[in-house]
Amino acid sequence: MSVARNLQHVRAKVAEALATSPWKQQCTLVAVSKTKPVADIEEAYSQDQRHFGENYIQELVEKAPLCPTDIQWHFIGHLQSNKVKALVTGVPNLYMVESVDSVKLANKLDSAWGQQGSGRRLPVLVQVNTSGEVQKSGVAPEDCVALAQHIASSCTHLKFSGLMTIGRFDDETDDCFVKLVACRKAVGAALGVDEKTLELSMGMSDDFQSAIAHGSTHVRVGSTIFGARNYAT
């Protein structure tokens, strides 16, 4: 199947899930193009896909200049604070960083984005480790409020936009989504904002329909659109 056909299939599934979601939310499909060539991104772009996600800074910095400048890039991988400058300077059309998981990283990103001088605040999500798996990045659920408050109050070049999680890699990811919804409720209360104004990025190729049923506003779909990843490259 082609990328275009796969993309249309995923969009249809997203629409089906949204039609029955009790949250009545809108949802952005982020096409995750890691390990995939620019030609595949261009095929999805030709189908009016504009939100793309990448996990690795070097790959994103190499691809972004070769792709249309109106693509809205989401960085969704683990971000080390010493790599922040490379990301910010290498991807002028960076749309969102979904994986902020420490005060140190937030501060570095705030400083680098301010120096970049675009004049707009960079939307960021706080990554929460809802599964408790040691190999995953993200703050513990009980620490998400403090980090969200720090970004909202102290990072003048960033826009705290919500929360992100990666579900458990098995058939039972619903509890991870339930936890992130609870985290959003707590953050909204702490910040004095309606929780539904905060984004929830959860759900990938295997579980995006369940994530939407739980209120997800961003789903990150890779292999179902682009096919199996080739890590040899």
Side-chain angles (χ1 to χ4, degrees):
M1 292 177 72
S2 69
V3 168
R5 197 173 306 138
N6 290 347
L7 179 59
Q8 296 304 332
H9 176 74
V10 170
R11 285 173 173 169
K13 293 293 185 184
V14 168
E16 286 176 15
L18 285 171
T20 57
S21 170
W23 294 86
K24 306 302 179 189
Q25 81 273 31
Q26 295 183 318
C27 186
T28 298
L29 172 60
V30 180
V32 180
S33 47
K34 72 175 180 181
T35 81
K36 296 301 176 180
V38 169
D40 284 3
I41 296 172
E42 290 173 339
E43 185 175 347
Y45 180 90
S46 73
Q47 301 300 308
D48 298 321
Q49 182 66 29
R50 292 296 180 269
H51 289 267
F52 290 84
E54 287 286 343
N55 292 66
Y56 305 118
I57 290 175
Q58 187 60 38
E59 188 174 357
L60 177 53
V61 168
E62 289 172 0
K63 284 179 180 177
L66 305 176
C67 294
T69 57
D70 62 334
I71 281 180
Q72 296 178 298
W73 290 107
H74 296 237
F75 187 76
I76 62 176
H78 177 60
L79 179 57
Q80 296 172 294
S81 56
N82 64 344
K83 302 288 187 181
V84 165
K85 186 175 181 181
L87 175 65
V88 167
T89 57
V91 190
N93 51 331
L94 182 65
Y95 173 75
M96 175 181 278
V97 174
E98 298 200 11
S99 48
V100 176
D101 60 1
S102 70
V103 167
K104 178 182 178 182
L105 177 57
N107 291 343
K108 285 267 193 177
L109 198 54
D110 182 56
S111 175
W113 192 257
Q115 292 171 14
Q116 181 248 25
S118 70
R120 75 174 178 95
R121 292 159 71 201
L122 176 67
V124 299
L125 304 180
V126 166
Q127 182 174 355
V128 183
N129 185 348
T130 53
S131 66
E133 293 168 283
V134 294
Q135 69 270 31
K136 283 184 182 170
S137 302
V139 297
E142 59 268 24
D143 296 329
C144 68
V145 169
L147 182 52
Q149 287 177 316
H150 174 78
I151 295 169
S153 63
S154 301
C155 297
T156 57
H157 303 292
L158 305 181
K159 177 185 177 183
F160 172 71
S161 296
L163 305 171
M164 179 269 251
T165 199
I166 299 170
R168 191 179 293 102
F169 292 121
D170 59 26
D171 293 334
E172 298 297 328
T173 59
D174 285 7
D175 64 311
C176 296
F177 303 151
V178 170
K179 283 182 184 177
L180 198 69
V181 171
C183 287
R184 182 175 69 167
K185 187 178 184 70
V187 169
L191 297 181
V193 301
D194 182 346
E195 64 179 294
K196 291 184 180 178
T197 65
L198 300 175
E199 309 285 359
L200 286 178
S201 177
M202 56 188 193
M204 300 188 292
S205 284
D206 291 336
D207 55 15
F208 69 87
Q209 289 166 283
S210 174
I212 290 171
H214 284 85
S216 183
T217 64
H218 288 72
V219 291
R220 311 178 305 272
V221 181
S223 57
T224 305
I225 295 172
F226 295 106
R229 297 190 177 104
N230 180 9
Y231 291 102
T233 60

